[in-house]
Amino acid sequence: MAQLAVATPAVGRLRSSNARSRRIVDRIATAALWIASSLVVLLLLLFIGYEFVRGASAISWHFLTGSPTAGEAGGGIGPLIFNSFYILILTLLFTVPISVCAGMFLQEYAVGGRFKAIVQFSAESLATVPSIVMGLFGLLVFVSAFHWHFTAIGGALTLTLLNLPAMMRVTQEALAGVPATYREASMGLGATKWQTVLKVILPSAIGPLTTGVVLVSGRIFGETAALIYTAGASVSYGRSAYDLNPFHTAETLAVGLYQVHREALVPDVDRIANGSALVLLVMVLVFNVIARVVGRQLTVRFTGKA
Amino acid sequence: MSRSARLAAIALCSVLVPSMAFADTSISAAGSTALQPLVQAAADEYQQKNSDVKISVTGGGSRTGLSLVSSKAVDLGDSDILAPAGSDGLVDHKVAVIGFSVVVNPASGITGLTKKQVQDIFTLKVTNWKDVGGKDQQITVINRPASSGTRAVFMKTLMGDITTLPPTLTEDATGTVVQKVAQTAGAVSYASFSGTHNATGVTEVAIDGAAATEANVMIGKYPFWSYEHIYTNGPPSKDVDKFISFLQDDTAVFKKTGYIQIKDMKVTETNR
Amino acid sequence: MVAVRANKAHRDERIALVVLMSCSGVFVIAIALILGFLAFNGTRLFWGDHYSPIAFLFGTNWDGFGGSYGAAPFILGSLVATGMAILIGGPLGVAIGVFFSELAPKRVASAFKPAIEVLVGIPSVVYGWLGLTLLVPAIATVFHLPDGDGLLAAGIVLSIMILPTVISLSEDALKVVPNSMREGSAALGATRWETITKVLIPSASSGIAVAVILGIARAIGETLAVQLVLGNAAIIPTSLLQPASALTSEIVMDMGDAPDGSGFKHALFAMAFLLLLISMGLIILIRFALRRRT
């Protein structure tokens, strides 16, 4: 309400010429906002739509499942899509447990105190690390110091560090959304804090939690800078390209898009790049839709709320 | 089934199934983007014939390849240049000869240049194509990064005593460079035959009257060429040696990708 | 029986606490390690190779293999590109957020919200690819240049990248402002524009500031999109239409090439450390300043 008190003298008397000029300003500003917003949003959507159209011609069953070629046209991105999912799953395996536990701790247990402040500050600082710098950290630790060289697991661990803060924030928000009455009722029935958190609060929050996890997964799927120097950027050929060994190198789709342009060793670079871009865009859409749908379903299932 | 039997079965499957998907041998190669097409084509064929081997090939430039193989991050370091003195432990396997061409965008109107003209263009002494016999078009120089082996060969064979070049637009891989020259009016750069021979929208320039062909390289008339080296850290393992020999003898792959087999060369050089 | 179960519950409680605290501790250890490793490797150029920090920060001659590591071109490039992104994308994003929150009809706003959220998630490599194939040729045509690479292209691409984030978060921040504010302001005779500028935006200022901060964070750290459209010429840019370079793009281009243990590699790590300090410092400073204001 303090803002209103500050604004009042400026708002002032609604009389005579002062009022008219203020109304004109209002109308101009409104028009400007309408024009600017429509233009920008339209441009953004056109930008993306154009890429859809450009990439559509590249899409075929062979493109999506076939292997890249060594210098000839007609290669596919099958192994790259496989690697993207593989690294995503590895990353989630590490990120979700750690972040959810940390989020639970900060939200439910630590009421104040220095440890909580330190953890919160660390998480905020971790979130400011640029992805390329995180990739270099991964290079120093996993590739060099551990002597693993380029590995899928090195990439996954680097991505874990990159996404821990986001995942923790998702957990905290999901837990905060659970009404206090749930906690009180549970404790009133004699449950310990841990039993309350595990059996009452977590299930109620599972909807928003899942939505958040899937959305962050979408971002992990598209990550590039942190993976180039940890999981590597090299293509393998033939059947052995579909490789489940986490200690081998793994080029993902996003990294592959960058590399295919950078190396330009096949004659149909544009076709492959546009096709890859389209697949990435579609995956972002899919992750978004799944996040919402699954989140809503889980909320209904576990809390009975619509 | 009893509970423990079920658990044992699950544990066994979760170990066996993924291990069946693991390739038994893994060979990694990195380095020169000029040599990359040859290594990739050979790797593709080799893996069709030996499905238990996984070969991964990447670029990054000759110096990257040398640095990675020195630190044992990869098995094979592909390079357009000799490893610097003092790289103990690196074993050189000369696998091919490759020619490089200076490429220009057709808007320049140029089909041939002398070495001196090339030097003047890249040191930015000449800025318009009309000063070297072409059309009135501004010259856009595209260089390779300092780590590029192709650039090192360029400096050694065409640049004479000049050791540094002024900074200009830089693109780092063979393919990207050729694309950029094709898209930019009046652009000039240099790349390996494997990237330039079949490229559309660029003109390969003759140097001192010699056209950029394999035949001219073989008889030594065309100066811009180098040996392609694959370095291993120490003597190669059995699997790696098998692959290198396969690559060296695969005439079909050489023909397909435009490289020259060493046995076809009529001249030899010791410092490339 | 009850006593046994209660003891087990208490033991579980203690184990749970240990597990949760350790997971929280991971964050602290992680950031400490990252700072440590990067500080060690990032300053090696100075205490190991005895290169002058002044020459590094202000020198303009960059020759990786030749031993000259003047990083000023990259620092300048990063600052200009990020500055452009904030100056264009910041106000524009907030304005559009205002539009969706206050001016657009409810149905239009709710139809566009998911679209904006999808735009937030689009990978930077796709933006870079679009910038390279659509924006750079467009700039070349409009300005009659052979090549459209440069800081203008980078600035525009970065603005486009941060727009959805700024729009979405500003809109959220404004939505939280209670309707009583809007009604009260109108009752006092304010026009809608005056309500927005003098009442709502100040009220939502912390949320809007967070939106802009996240935009800045993304712009400073953006690597690929910038590398694809900047042209990568290690010179001090004299015009927005000349090829230039930035800290992030130089690192990603040359990190693989620099031999281990060389001055070149140490210089690249020094650039990475500098980038970390700028990014971290800027954001934490702004957050701190905001917290003090409220």
Side-chain angles (χ1 to χ4, degrees):
Chain A
M1 281 315 176
Q3 276 77 11
L4 274 183
V6 168
T8 315
V11 168
R13 307 135 215 102
L14 199 58
R15 277 171 190 62
S16 63
S17 60
N18 188 18
R20 258 192 81 212
S21 60
R22 280 163 50 215
R23 262 193 295 241
I24 293 179
V25 166
D26 180 64
R27 227 159 277 169
I28 297 179
T30 308
L33 275 182
W34 265 97
I35 297 176
S37 304
S38 321
L39 265 177
V40 169
V41 175
L42 221 70
L43 269 170
L44 279 176
L45 292 176
L46 267 177
F47 221 34
I48 304 300
Y50 185 68
E51 188 55 38
F52 258 89
V53 169
R54 265 202 318 192
S57 54
I59 304 296
S60 68
W61 184 247
H62 171 76
F63 180 69
L64 292 173
T65 56
S67 285
T69 59
E72 296 160 341
I77 55 174
L80 300 179
I81 298 182
F82 174 77
N83 285 330
S84 288
F85 278 106
Y86 184 52
I87 288 190
L88 172 63
I89 294 177
L90 273 185
T91 307
L92 288 177
L93 275 175
F94 290 110
T95 314
V96 173
I98 299 180
S99 313
V100 170
C101 285
M104 282 197 278
F105 177 73
L106 287 188
Q107 200 64 24
E108 305 291 324
Y109 281 81
V111 198
R114 210 174 298 161
F115 187 56
K116 174 174 182 176
I118 295 180
V119 173
Q120 199 89 45
F121 183 69
S122 302
E124 276 178 30
S125 309
L126 204 56
T128 65
V129 178
S131 52
I132 180 76
V133 175
M134 197 65 86
L136 291 190
F137 177 73
L139 175 67
L140 284 173
V141 175
F142 306 121
V143 176
S144 300
F146 285 13
H147 295 293
W148 284 351
H149 306 301
F150 296 129
T151 55
I153 193 168
L157 288 172
T158 308
L159 288 186
T160 301
L161 289 172
L162 204 57
N163 288 287
L164 278 177
M167 207 66 94
M168 188 176 87
R169 211 178 312 138
V170 157
T171 310
Q172 283 182 288
E173 282 170 0
L175 291 174
V178 175
T181 47
Y182 284 40
R183 292 181 189 82
E184 290 160 12
S186 173
M187 304 285 249
L189 287 168
T192 64
K193 191 137 201 186
W194 176 240
Q195 287 172 331
T196 306
V197 169
L198 190 64
K199 297 198 167 95
V200 176
I201 302 186
L202 202 54
S204 323
I206 202 131
L209 189 60
T210 314
T211 303
V213 168
V214 177
L215 284 177
V216 175
S217 300
R219 257 175 280 160
I220 295 175
F221 195 81
E223 179 56 49
T224 334
L227 285 178
I228 295 182
Y229 292 113
T230 49
S234 61
V235 190
S236 319
Y237 304 92
R239 255 186 47 225
S240 50
Y242 292 89
D243 184 12
L244 277 176
N245 187 337
F247 288 95
H248 282 172
T249 183
E251 185 183 39
T252 61
L253 185 59
V255 173
L257 171 53
Y258 180 62
Q259 280 294 99
V260 80
H261 157 75
R262 206 182 181 199
E263 291 174 357
L265 285 167
V266 290
D268 53 348
V269 173
D270 283 346
R271 189 190 71 99
I272 296 183
N274 284 324
S276 306
L278 174 58
V279 172
L280 282 170
L281 284 174
V282 167
M283 288 313 302
V284 169
L285 263 172
V286 166
F287 273 108
N288 251 279
V289 168
I290 291 183
R292 261 168 243 295
V293 167
V294 172
R296 215 173 300 150
Q297 293 289 35
L298 283 174
T299 308
V300 169
R301 224 14 133 72
F302 278 84
T303 64
K305 276 188 261 198
Chain B
M1 255 203 285
S2 72
R3 189 157 181 239
S4 41
R6 240 180 292 162
L7 281 175
I10 294 175
L12 202 63
C13 285
S14 56
V15 167
L16 279 184
V17 171
S19 64
M20 292 195 290
F22 289 14
D24 290 346
T25 326
S26 151
I27 301 179
S28 51
S32 159
T33 55
L35 184 55
Q36 206 175 340
L38 180 61
V39 181
Q40 276 182 340
D44 197 2
E45 263 194 48
Y46 191 78
Q47 278 171 122
Q48 313 279 18
K49 301 195 168 99
N50 305 275
S51 59
D52 58 331
V53 179
K54 171 174 168 146
I55 307 180
S56 51
V57 184
T58 190
S62 303
R63 278 189 236 256
T64 310
L66 289 172
S67 129
L68 287 173
V69 77
S70 295
S71 61
K72 295 212 185 133
V74 295
D75 302 300
L76 306 173
D78 307 331
S79 175
D80 307 332
I81 53 173
L82 289 169
S87 315
D88 339 302
L90 289 187
V91 175
D92 184 8
H93 310 265
K94 286 208 182 79
V95 297
V97 166
I98 189 158
F100 300 85
S101 31
V102 174
V103 280
V104 295
N105 180 280
S108 62
I110 292 280
T111 51
L113 291 168
T114 64
K115 259 197 216 169
K116 178 87 178 43
Q117 287 173 324
V118 174
Q119 290 171 4
D120 289 338
I121 290 173
F122 276 85
T123 50
L124 301 182
K125 289 207 188 91
V126 166
T127 51
N128 194 305
W129 286 112
K130 67 175 181 336
D131 298 329
V132 286
K135 304 202 186 119
D136 182 6
Q137 168 73 240
Q138 189 193 353
I139 301 182
T140 304
V141 172
I142 303 178
N143 217 334
R144 307 294 291 268
S147 62
S148 162
T150 306
R151 174 169 166 153
V153 177
F154 176 71
M155 301 297 287
K156 188 187 285 189
T157 56
L158 294 185
M159 280 288 130
D161 296 322
I162 302 172
T163 47
T164 51
L165 293 178
T168 57
L169 191 55
T170 305
E171 292 294 344
D172 75 357
T174 302
T176 326
V177 158
V178 173
Q179 256 194 348
K180 199 80 184 173
V181 172
Q183 287 166 351
T184 312
V188 59
S189 189
Y190 49 89
S192 55
F193 280 179
S194 55
T196 57
H197 271 357
N198 298 318
T200 50
V202 299
T203 312
E204 287 173 292
V205 161
I207 308 275
D208 285 339
T213 61
E214 278 85 335
N216 280 340
V217 171
M218 287 195 243
I219 57 176
K221 205 167 149 208
Y222 181 80
F224 195 3
W225 62 270
S226 179
Y227 290 110
E228 291 291 356
H229 311 261
I230 292 188
Y231 280 95
T232 51
N233 198 323
S237 71
K238 208 169 50 127
D239 297 298
V240 171
D241 201 33
K242 239 177 94 185
F243 175 61
I244 295 182
S245 311
F246 174 82
L247 194 155
Q248 281 170 320
D249 299 329
D250 195 346
T251 312
V253 166
F254 271 83
K255 278 240 153 53
K256 198 167 66 161
T257 47
Y259 293 78
I260 303 165
Q261 285 183 299
I262 298 183
K263 59 182 188 225
D264 294 333
M265 286 293 287
K266 307 283 188 295
V267 295
T268 48
E269 293 273 351
T270 45
N271 64 340
R272 305 191 184 188
Chain C
M1 263 348 279
V2 175
V4 172
R5 239 183 284 145
N7 278 337
K8 180 176 183 300
H10 280 151
R11 198 196 60 203
D12 285 351
E13 183 76 22
R14 251 172 291 150
I15 298 178
L17 202 63
V18 170
V19 169
L20 295 192
M21 283 186 80
S22 328
C23 287
S24 311
V26 167
F27 284 75
V28 185
I29 298 176
I31 190 69
L33 281 177
I34 291 173
L35 276 170
F37 268 84
L38 273 142
F40 182 72
N41 284 283
T43 49
R44 215 183 205 157
L45 184 67
F46 309 123
W47 50 260
D49 300 322
H50 304 293
Y51 198 82
S52 145
I54 307 288
F56 174 73
L57 287 174
F58 298 101
T60 57
N61 185 16
W62 177 267
D63 182 6
F65 286 101
S68 167
Y69 311 120
F74 307 115
I75 299 175
L76 210 63
S78 280
L79 289 176
V80 172
T82 308
M84 279 183 73
I86 302 171
L87 285 175
I88 302 177
L92 195 57
V94 173
I96 301 180
V98 164
F99 173 75
F100 277 122
S101 164
E102 309 297 319
L103 295 181
K106 287 298 171 201
R107 247 183 298 151
V108 170
S110 50
F112 274 107
K113 188 108 174 60
I116 302 282
E117 299 212 351
V118 169
L119 287 174
V120 172
I122 292 181
S124 45
V125 64
V126 174
Y127 279 114
W129 174 249
L130 283 170
L132 178 71
T133 50
L134 288 180
L135 189 62
V136 169
I139 292 182
T141 323
V142 166
F143 290 92
H144 303 293
L145 294 167
D147 183 51
D149 285 346
L151 285 168
L152 180 65
I156 295 180
V157 170
L158 284 179
S159 316
I160 295 179
M161 280 180 65
I162 68 173
L163 265 181
T165 310
V166 178
I167 293 176
S168 177
L169 288 175
S170 307
E171 194 190 336
D172 288 342
L174 282 165
K175 283 237 186 82
V176 179
V177 175
N179 264 329
S180 49
M181 290 276 216
R182 295 180 182 84
E183 290 160 8
S185 178
L188 286 168
T191 62
R192 191 159 54 174
W193 178 242
E194 283 167 346
T195 307
I196 291 174
T197 50
K198 296 185 168 63
V199 177
L200 296 181
I201 292 187
S203 220
S205 61
S206 55
I208 294 181
V210 170
V212 175
I213 290 175
L214 282 182
I216 298 178
R218 196 162 180 197
I220 293 185
E222 182 44 50
T223 314
L224 288 210
V226 161
Q227 199 266 313
L228 289 168
V229 304
L230 256 190
N232 312 305
I235 52 175
I236 299 278
T238 51
S239 117
L240 290 178
L241 296 166
Q242 251 185 340
S245 199
L247 288 169
T248 47
S249 58
E250 171 62 23
I251 293 173
V252 81
M253 259 203 1
D254 277 344
M255 184 50 84
D257 309 338
D260 275 338
S262 64
F264 191 8
K265 195 151 210 163
H266 297 157
L268 289 174
F269 270 108
M271 282 168 55
F273 186 46
L274 182 64
L275 189 62
L276 180 62
L277 289 177
I278 294 178
S279 177
M280 218 181 238
L282 195 65
I283 295 170
I284 291 183
L285 216 77
I286 299 180
R287 281 241 162 124
F288 191 60
L290 279 179
R291 232 168 272 165
R292 282 191 116 197
R293 251 188 55 195
T294 51

